[in-house]
């Protein structure tokens, strides 16, 4: 089961006068990650490098930002993969301290700084969600609301027309039980629509 992070976590590592400012945080997609990286570059104009790695929504990225190829972004990405994370951005802002670390030293520094930040982060299981839509007569609206409340939908919209239409998202593992319960308790008066 993939995990994501509850909130951002930070860690600072100093090796031979170089400062590695690591951050790990939940993100939705590559566009959100790129916006965060752009903001970091603006906040740290004197930094030598702003390297990052991303695993989100089937998208991945490993960016060395001027470090020797494969010494920053790829090792950071491997740390995320090893910990089975999804929807997570790892960034490391490096301030060069004047002493070269070599390829092996860079890989260790970037790997360690991200791994230490992850030790400070709270990981949460990522649950697969599904979206459902149904319609019922007005007389059953309160009943459907009560049943749905027991399944704690992540989102719910209700529209009133000739029928009451519910559009909601729940944990995918609960879908079969919810559908069966509503079908039985609404006595054939509930109609399922294709979720948009």
């Amino acid at each position: 089961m993939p995990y994501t992070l509850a909130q951002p976590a930070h860690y600072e590592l100093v090796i031979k006068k170089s400062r590695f400012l690591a951050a790990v945080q939940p993100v939705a997609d590559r566009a959100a990650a790129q916006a965060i990286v752009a903001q970091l570059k603006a906040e740290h104009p004197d930094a030598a490098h702003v390297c990052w790695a991303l695993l989100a929504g089937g998208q991945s990225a490993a960016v060395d930002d001027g470090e020797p190829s494969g010494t920053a972004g790829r090792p950071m990405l491997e740390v995320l993969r090893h910990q089975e994370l999804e929807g997570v951005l790892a960034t490391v802002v490096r301030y060069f301290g004047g002493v070269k670390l070599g390829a092996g030293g860079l890989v260790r520094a970037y790997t360690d700084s991200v791994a230490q930040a992850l030790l400070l982060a709270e990981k949460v299981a990522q649950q697969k969600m599904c979206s459902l839509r149904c319609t019922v007569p007005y007389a059953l609206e309160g009943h459907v609301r009560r049943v749905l409340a027991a399944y704690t939908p992540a989102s719910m919209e209700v529209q009133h027309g000739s029928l009451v239409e519910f559009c909601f998202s729940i944990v995918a593992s609960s879908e079969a039980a919810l559908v069966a319960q509503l079908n039985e308790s609404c006595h054939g008066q509930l109609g399922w629509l294709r979720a948009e």
Side-chain angles (χ1 to χ4, degrees), residues 90-158:
T91 57
V92 177
V93 176
R94 180 186 181 197
Y95 284 92
F96 183 58
V99 179
K100 293 195 175 191
L101 303 180
L106 287 172
V107 169
R108 279 190 299 280
Y110 282 101
T111 300
D112 291 351
S113 59
V114 170
Q116 291 300 320
L118 285 170
L119 287 175
L120 302 172
E122 179 188 349
K123 294 182 192 132
V124 291
Q126 197 172 46
Q127 297 182 314
K128 186 172 181 176
M129 304 299 285
C130 69
S131 295
L132 298 170
R133 288 175 64 208
C134 66
T135 58
V136 292
Y138 278 79
L140 289 173
E141 179 180 0
H143 170 72
V144 171
R145 284 182 183 272
R146 285 188 295 280
V147 171
L148 288 177
Y151 288 86
T152 57
S155 65
M156 183 167 77
E157 291 180 26
V158 181

Side-chain angles (χ1 to χ4, degrees), residues 32-54:
Q34 288 173 317
I36 292 166
V37 171
Q39 182 180 344
L40 279 173
K41 287 184 176 192
E43 289 173 7
H44 299 274
D46 298 332
H49 309 279
V50 178
C51 304
W52 57 285
L54 169 72

Side-chain angles (χ1 to χ4, degrees), residues 3-102:
Y3 294 86
T4 191
L5 302 179
Q7 70 275 331
H10 300 82
Y11 183 80
E12 181 175 341
L13 181 67
V14 178
I15 299 175
K16 295 184 180 176
K17 298 182 182 175
S18 279
R19 288 175 58 213
F20 295 84
L21 309 175
V24 290
Q25 59 197 301
V27 293
D29 54 27
R30 188 180 185 103
Q34 288 173 317
I36 292 166
V37 171
Q39 182 180 344
L40 279 173
K41 287 184 176 192
E43 289 173 7
H44 299 274
D46 298 332
H49 309 279
V50 178
C51 304
W52 57 285
L54 169 72
L55 280 176
Q59 301 174 328
S60 65
V63 178
D64 293 321
D65 191 40
E67 290 283 30
S69 181
T71 61
R74 177 75 48 204
M76 293 163 61
L77 183 62
E78 289 308 313
V79 172
L80 298 180
R81 282 196 174 125
H82 180 71
Q83 297 208 18
E84 299 181 58
L85 293 168
E86 169 60 32
V88 174
L89 169 67
T91 57
V92 177
V93 176
R94 180 186 181 197
Y95 284 92
F96 183 58
V99 179
K100 293 195 175 191
L101 303 180

Side-chain angles (χ1 to χ4, degrees), residues 166-191:
F166 290 87
C167 183
F168 54 93
S169 295
I170 60 166
V171 175
S173 60
S174 301
E175 178 182 7
L178 171 65
V179 168
Q181 183 178 350
L182 284 175
N183 284 342
E184 183 178 325
S185 65
C186 290
H187 309 290
Q189 295 184 63
L190 179 141

